[in-house]
Amino acid sequence: MEWRPFLQAIHSKLTDQAFETWFRPLRFQRSVQEGVLRIAAPNDVVRDWILSKYAEPLRQSLNESHLGSLRIEWQIASNNSMPSEVAEPEPLPRESDRVQLHSAESALPEVGLSDVSRLNAKYTFNDFVVASCNRLAHAAALAVADSPGQTYNPLYLYGGVGLGKTHLIQAVGHAIASANPTLRIAYLSLERFMNELISAIRFGYDKTNAFRERYRSIDVLLIDDVQFIAGKERTQEEFFHTFNALYDRQKQIVLTSDCPPRDIPEIEERLHSRFEWGLIADIEPPDLETKVVIIKRKAEAHRVNLPDDVALILARHAKHNIRELEGSLIRLLAMSSLRGLPLSKSLAEESFRGVTNEPISNEVSISKIQHLVARHYKIDVENMKARSNVRHVLIPRQVAMYLCKRLAKKSYPEIAKHFGGKHHTTVIHSVEKIEKEMNANGELAGTINRLIEAVNT
Ligand code: ADP
Ligand code: MG
């Protein structure tokens, strides 16, 4: 039996995401004699979700591929329950940003008491420079940290890339954790929430319930980059219930996003409105003076004294955001220490030569990144993809994964695939680890900046 036309018919009616999540794991078998189409789902969650949400596209697709007269019988696939002549759905010739499902490993981390392990130690209120561009957001974050669940709930912070949203939301986490060590705090990106949810669903009701219980029993939920919820129906559904459970018990929720709630596309109205229940505060790009203050503070953190005129040059060059500003400082510090030159205006000018500060295009390929990183660390690309976790391949692998996420803008599962089929949580872990380490380790940050330039040329 050729299933491709049927699968293509379904795929054409759904988002890639929905197709990959719900229909890809199914197995089909047709019995002509009995007039039956057996569909095996990996567990009852998948079956129930399809029946409640996708019954109509399923029915239409069967009709379009002349299978409409068959009676459908659902089965839950235990390991080997489908007979051997079952047709595997053939892979569709389409590269999409798909969510890969795994059955071998659980991807559920524990949320501990005051779990601050995922917070970057530098993202505190103390290290945050307050100026007119972020004054409201900062004040609101402080208020929430002072009395979680009592003032603004949810607090919704939004602003462009690299303007300090992650810094502020993590500062809330740090402050609450140190004032109330027994509260359960969860900080994670929406993307991570989604990946955990999908892994849980994959394992059936027990894991899905465990996922629910875990997130509905915490005291403070900090979700970064909630705009990724756009178009993710099941994640919206789950997040909605998590939100309600926490809100009803006056637990604090903080969300960040790159746009106001109303501008998140493809999101259910009930979530839109909930995001607006508390306080919405935006962060604007800093003006020149603020950039100078921030860059001088960052230099202090690296224990260097940055002359005002040099700070001004860096601030003028950082057109887009503060992350870029920090990048240029680190490049300058690396140049100065490598060549033993003082931090002068001319060195600063030179450090910008040949560097574009434009955001990098999507064209960067994963394999280019892998090759450049392997060459830099003097190892084989193949070693990078192998299973070994010895340090001299582990670090390059993590750096390469980080660069793939940042520059190639691929999804975690997609990156995992290009590293010898590792689990996508390995990629998440690597990216988070490198992000964290770059702040503490100037040498690593310098290496990464040079690699970014190399990837870009
Ligand atoms: P976003 O999450 O909005 O993309 P981040 O919070 O990751 O941005 O900020 C990017 C970098 O800029 C971080 O290293 C952060 O510490 C720094 N940063 C942003 N705003 C400020 C600020 N007001 N004071 C100090 N550092 C800042
Ligand atoms: Mg962020």
Side-chain angles (χ1 to χ4, degrees):
M1 170 72 208
E2 164 63 284
W3 297 98
R4 186 189 295 246
F6 165 61
L7 289 169
Q8 277 176 343
I10 297 187
H11 198 159
S12 68
K13 297 178 180 42
L14 308 175
T15 62
D16 287 349
Q17 174 101 34
F19 178 79
E20 291 298 329
T21 308
W22 305 110
F23 286 88
R24 174 80 69 196
L26 302 180
R27 295 289 174 270
F28 303 90
Q29 186 201 19
R30 175 185 184 179
S31 163
V32 181
Q33 269 177 345
E34 301 165 67
V36 167
L37 171 64
R38 295 202 175 86
I39 307 181
N43 56 54
D44 31 19
V45 181
V46 170
R47 178 200 59 201
D48 294 350
W49 186 257
I50 291 178
L51 288 176
S52 73
K53 292 279 167 174
Y54 301 116
E56 194 44 35
L58 177 61
R59 180 48 59 200
Q60 282 173 5
S61 307
L62 287 170
N63 288 339
E64 287 166 23
S65 31
H66 310 292
L67 300 166
S69 59
L70 299 177
R71 188 161 48 81
I72 295 180
E73 274 182 24
W74 284 90
Q75 300 185 335
I76 301 304
S78 57
N79 284 342
N80 258 331
S81 69
M82 277 304 256
S84 54
E85 74 271 352
V86 170
E88 285 262 322
E90 293 179 42
L92 297 175
R94 182 144 157 205
E95 257 313 300
S96 59
D97 198 25
R98 59 182 54 127
V99 172
Q100 206 169 312
L101 300 171
H102 294 265
S103 54
E105 275 175 71
S106 164
L108 304 180
E110 294 304 319
V111 177
L113 294 181
S114 273
D115 181 10
V116 291
S117 61
R118 267 195 232 130
L119 300 181
N120 184 323
K122 299 228 160 135
Y123 290 171
T124 61
F125 281 121
N126 231 347
D127 288 325
F128 191 83
V129 174
V130 186
S132 57
C133 57
N134 57 32
R135 198 175 304 281
L136 174 64
H138 174 261
L142 261 187
V144 158
D146 267 352
S147 43
Q150 306 297 316
T151 49
Y152 311 117
N153 208 11
L155 172 60
Y156 185 105
L157 303 172
Y158 76 91
V161 178
L163 296 182
K165 302 180 296 293
T166 296
H167 189 139
L168 263 189
I169 194 176
Q170 292 203 12
V172 172
H174 281 300
I176 296 180
S178 66
N180 317 273
T182 57
L183 288 187
R184 292 159 65 90
I185 301 172
Y187 164 81
L188 70 166
S189 65
L190 191 279
E191 200 175 2
R192 184 171 186 125
F193 181 88
M194 180 177 82
N195 281 319
E196 285 183 16
L197 171 65
I198 288 169
S199 298
I201 290 170
R202 181 69 169 154
F203 285 98
Y205 270 131
D206 283 356
K207 286 283 182 193
T208 312
N209 281 335
F211 174 90
R212 287 191 181 133
E213 268 165 38
R214 204 172 51 247
Y215 282 108
R216 293 178 197 180
S217 66
I218 56 186
D219 299 302
V220 179
L221 181 62
L222 309 171
I223 297 276
D224 213 351
D225 291 320
V226 76
Q227 74 274 7
F228 281 114
I229 208 165
K232 316 281 166 40
E233 284 177 41
R234 179 65 205 262
T235 306
Q236 291 184 18
E237 165 107 13
E238 199 62 42
F239 192 66
F240 174 75
H241 293 297
T242 304
F243 186 106
N244 289 344
L246 296 177
Y247 186 89
D248 287 347
R249 289 182 294 120
Q250 293 194 323
K251 304 298 185 188
Q252 182 68 48
I253 301 165
V254 184
L255 308 167
T256 74
S257 169
D258 65 0
C259 61
R262 290 283 147 194
D263 291 355
I264 303 180
E266 293 182 69
I267 157 175
E268 294 175 35
E269 175 53 31
R270 57 185 188 171
L271 272 178
H272 263 158
S273 70
R274 269 166 184 72
F275 288 175
E276 291 172 345
W277 276 357
L279 180 74
I280 302 178
D282 71 330
I283 305 184
E284 286 177 1
D287 55 24
L288 187 67
E289 292 74 12
T290 307
K291 282 191 258 185
V292 170
V293 176
I294 291 176
I295 202 61
K296 288 191 64 123
R297 277 277 280 279
K298 298 279 172 190
E300 271 168 35
H302 288 279
R303 295 201 187 74
V304 281
N305 179 21
L306 189 68
D308 288 352
D309 52 353
V310 180
L312 194 61
I313 292 176
L314 299 188
R316 282 225 169 88
H317 263 87
K319 296 272 185 308
H320 305 285
N321 60 50
I322 298 170
R323 187 172 299 138
E324 184 188 325
L325 186 62
E326 282 190 280
S328 62
L329 172 68
I330 286 174
R331 198 167 52 234
L332 177 65
L333 295 183
M335 278 178 79
S336 130
S337 77
L338 280 174
R339 297 212 222 139
L341 296 172
L343 295 169
S344 63
K345 268 171 82 172
S346 61
L347 192 66
E349 300 284 9
E350 195 189 331
S351 75
F352 286 111
R353 231 161 271 153
V355 178
T356 55
N357 278 333
E358 292 309 313
I360 293 136
S361 78
N362 285 339
E363 306 292 310
V364 181
S365 79
I366 290 184
S367 94
K368 181 175 183 188
I369 292 174
Q370 288 173 329
H371 279 91
L372 285 167
V373 174
R375 198 173 69 191
H376 174 84
Y377 285 100
K378 302 194 175 53
I379 62 166
D380 261 16
V381 173
E382 286 317 308
N383 283 342
M384 209 183 252
K385 300 182 188 177
R387 286 196 145 257
S388 164
N389 274 340
V390 293
R391 211 181 141 73
H392 80 275
V393 298
L394 184 63
I395 306 278
R397 180 189 300 142
Q398 290 175 335
V399 167
M401 285 176 168
Y402 167 82
L403 291 173
C404 287
K405 185 67 194 168
R406 180 159 162 195
L407 304 181
K409 308 255 162 47
K410 295 287 195 295
S411 69
Y412 293 121
E414 178 123 346
I415 296 171
K417 207 167 65 194
H418 284 84
F419 282 81
K422 301 212 162 27
H423 195 262
H424 69 266
T425 52
T426 306
V427 184
I428 298 179
H429 171 77
S430 302
V431 172
E432 287 175 353
K433 176 160 172 250
I434 295 294
E435 268 173 359
K436 225 165 146 175
E437 257 189 57
M438 274 170 71
N439 284 287
N441 179 341
E443 194 188 325
L444 178 68
T447 301
I448 286 180
N449 272 304
R450 281 193 297 283
L451 282 167
I452 291 175
E453 280 173 37
V455 169
N456 250 345
T457 45

